[in-house]
Amino acid sequence: MTRLRQRMQEDLRLRNFSERTIRRYTEIVAEFARYFHKSPDQLSAEHVRTFLLYLLNERKLAWGTIQGARSALKFLYLRTLKQTWFDQEIIKPKVRRKLPTVWSREEVCALLDATTNTKHRALLALYYSAGLRCQEALDLKVGDIDSKRMIIHIREGKGKFPRQVMLSPKLLELLALA
């Protein structure tokens, strides 16, 4: 492992980034270095711009992926290499936010009615009604369901942040059956 890669990983850990993010940022910086056959500390803003255009035009990656690559390179240059030019030279793309698809009552009922297994039905209802992410549902314990206050405690959601979501009476009833 190069000294620069080790330093960047240490900086990411000091900022309390997840292991998954550390691994992904490291992969992106390694790909950037391979693309130019040089160490990133020998590359400039023009190289970053060229690499991002390569990801967009030649590899045809999604905007979210390109934004992730930009974030990894920004961390490398601003935090690890202490370069001040990044924000002035590398423009941030405009983010287009999409509204989530909200299912109709009939669509939700059709989904829940499609399974005859009570446990599977309860899990699907939990996902949808509480708006849980997959890992949040997997990490959920019985003690996280507060039936008195009608709240579900999510201990470590996205970014390791805890949160609370409402528990509907119908969901509580279904969970009691499962």
Side-chain angles (χ1 to χ4, degrees), residues 12 28 33 62 66 83 86 104 126 162 167:
L12 287 162
I28 291 166
I66 294 168
Q83 300 289 325
F86 196 93
S104 69
L126 180 66
L167 174 62

Side-chain angles (χ1 to χ4, degrees), residues 4 7 11 20 47 51 65 85 118-119 122 124 140 145 160:
L4 180 59
R7 174 70 187 231
D11 290 344
R20 183 177 174 183
H47 292 99
F51 180 69
T65 307
W85 52 259
T118 308
K119 183 171 72 171
L124 288 172
L140 202 61
I145 298 172
K160 305 286 186 202

Side-chain angles (χ1 to χ4, degrees), residues 13-159:
R13 282 190 182 89
L14 285 172
R15 296 269 307 208
N16 200 23
F17 279 63
S18 72
E19 284 302 316
R20 183 177 174 183
T21 302
I22 292 170
R23 187 173 49 253
R24 185 66 188 129
Y25 275 26
T26 304
E27 290 168 357
I28 291 166
V29 171
E31 183 181 354
F32 175 62
R34 279 192 307 272
Y35 184 76
F36 290 106
H37 305 289
K38 287 186 179 179
S39 175
D41 58 356
Q42 298 173 0
L43 300 173
S44 67
E46 193 57 37
H47 292 99
V48 173
R49 183 180 183 283
T50 301
F51 180 69
L52 293 175
L53 284 170
Y54 156 75
L55 295 178
L56 177 66
N57 297 328
E58 292 180 38
R59 298 228 2 235
K60 308 253 189 262
L61 297 178
W63 275 108
T65 307
I66 294 168
Q67 182 59 36
R70 183 189 180 280
S71 296
L73 295 170
K74 179 179 179 177
F75 187 91
L76 170 72
Y77 283 105
L78 286 180
R79 302 288 178 210
T80 303
L81 293 174
K82 310 283 190 262
Q83 300 289 325
T84 57
W85 52 259
F86 196 93
D87 279 329
Q88 290 83 31
E89 299 290 326
I90 309 300
I91 58 172
K92 185 176 181 181
K94 183 171 73 171
V95 178
R96 292 193 175 114
R97 303 221 183 260
K98 290 190 281 184
L99 289 174
T101 302
V102 179
W103 290 3
S104 69
R105 181 180 299 258
E106 292 78 22
E107 290 171 319
V108 174
C109 288
L111 173 71
L112 295 177
D113 291 341
T115 181
T116 56
N117 185 311
T118 308
K119 183 171 72 171
H120 295 163
R121 183 181 172 98
L123 185 61
L124 288 172
L126 180 66
Y127 272 127
Y128 192 76
S129 71
L132 298 184
R133 295 176 177 91
C134 291
Q135 193 60 50
E136 291 172 345
L138 290 171
D139 293 341
L140 202 61
K141 306 283 186 261
V142 173
D144 294 334
I145 298 172
D146 186 347
S147 59
K148 288 184 179 74
R149 294 177 45 211
M150 298 302 285
I151 289 176
I152 301 172
H153 300 281
I154 310 299
R155 300 288 170 207
E156 287 191 358
K158 185 175 180 180

